[in-house]
Amino acid sequence: MIPTQSVIYSRIPRSDPDLIARAAQFGIADLHEGLGAVAGRMCLMSPAMRPIAPGQKVCGSAVTAFNYPGDNLAIHAALNVAGAGDVLVLTNGGGHQGALWGDVACNFAVKKGVAGTVVHGATRDTDAIRELGYPVWATAISVEHPEKNGPAAVNVPVVVDGVLVEPGDIICGDGDGVLVIPRALLRLAVENAEARAAKEVTFRQRIADGEVLFDIIGIRQVVERLGIEQKDCTWEEDR
């Protein structure tokens, strides 16, 4: 149920920590593919959601915060209830007005053991955050002053960069962006990612053994099935 007024829920549904740990072994490309053609696309945030530093990686349960545009009251309430290993998922609808995240909140998050923060909106103090080594993804960087008056909602379903995020969903992020794995699909995503990774090990070995990628992944058969003509000449010679 979508709340009609400000509310803070202090708890989130929890997934099997062993499954989360298995998911953390993979990049979001493998997990995205593991979710399948439909869910994989629906659960992938847009290229606008970028890491603020290279080499960032996160995988943990979502603690969500809905902020009124120009206000970041909800992020402080979310940070207060988040636990070690959780990922803060913050949104104000994606506007740059009122930075949602900064270095003071980041310092406290590090102290609590929060795993990372995803910001649909603006973050600031990026140089200081990079020095801390704390993972942050954001759709904007802006120092604009935020109010702290609400309204606010914490640990309710939110739409973040076009993706539905429910409290407790698994948030995975790396240099490629951010993926949301619904709790009900976590095992599927992990098992398919493991199978995909094992298959790619054989691909790399076959490449090392001298085979051609065009044949290894079956592109030659696809070209033949589609009836695509292959000509041993330049396009100019074929005019």
Side-chain angles (χ1 to χ4, degrees), residues 43-50 120 139 160-163 176-178:
C43 296
L44 183 65
M45 293 187 187
S46 83
M49 185 64 74
R50 302 305 302 156
H120 184 211
T139 54
V160 178
D161 194 24
V163 179
D176 288 335
V178 175

Side-chain angles (χ1 to χ4, degrees), residues 10-220:
S10 61
R11 299 184 184 182
I12 62 173
R14 295 288 177 182
S15 294
D16 181 350
D18 291 336
L19 267 181
I20 297 176
R22 285 166 64 185
Q25 302 303 308
F26 298 98
I28 70 165
D30 286 327
L31 294 166
H32 160 71
E33 298 285 358
L35 282 171
V38 176
R41 284 164 175 76
M42 292 178 66
C43 296
L44 183 65
M45 293 187 187
S46 83
M49 185 64 74
R50 302 305 302 156
I52 68 165
Q56 292 186 175
K57 189 172 174 63
V58 77
C59 186
S61 299
V63 171
T64 65
F66 177 81
N67 301 264
Y68 201 73
D71 192 282
N72 75 350
L73 175 63
I75 76 105
H76 294 285
L79 180 55
N80 190 53
V81 301
D86 288 340
V87 179
L88 291 166
V89 181
L90 320 175
T91 184
N92 62 4
H96 61 79
Q97 300 88 351
L100 291 180
W101 191 250
D103 70 321
V104 173
C106 194
N107 270 276
F108 189 65
V110 170
K111 184 176 180 180
K112 290 194 74 173
V114 175
T117 299
V118 174
V119 184
H120 184 211
T123 189
R124 67 182 185 184
D125 307 320
T126 52
D127 289 339
I129 294 173
R130 290 185 187 108
E131 288 182 10
L132 278 173
Y134 179 84
V136 175
W137 288 255
T139 54
I141 294 175
S142 174
V143 300
E144 289 186 55
H145 170 76
E147 299 297 333
K148 293 175 175 59
N149 298 313
V154 172
N155 281 330
V156 300
V158 292
V159 175
V160 178
D161 194 24
V163 179
L164 175 65
V165 183
E166 295 189 357
D169 283 349
I170 308 307
I171 308 299
C172 299
D174 60 20
D176 288 335
V178 175
L179 180 73
V180 181
I181 305 178
R183 293 176 61 243
L185 297 180
L186 178 58
R187 182 173 297 277
L188 171 74
V190 169
E191 291 179 350
N192 286 346
E194 288 172 341
R196 174 183 170 84
K199 188 175 182 180
E200 288 186 347
V201 168
T202 66
F203 286 172
R204 294 185 183 95
Q205 184 58 54
R206 291 172 67 180
I207 290 170
D209 292 341
E211 292 190 54
V212 177
L213 186 60
F214 195 72
D215 292 323
I216 293 173
I217 62 176
I219 300 300
R220 191 179 305 279

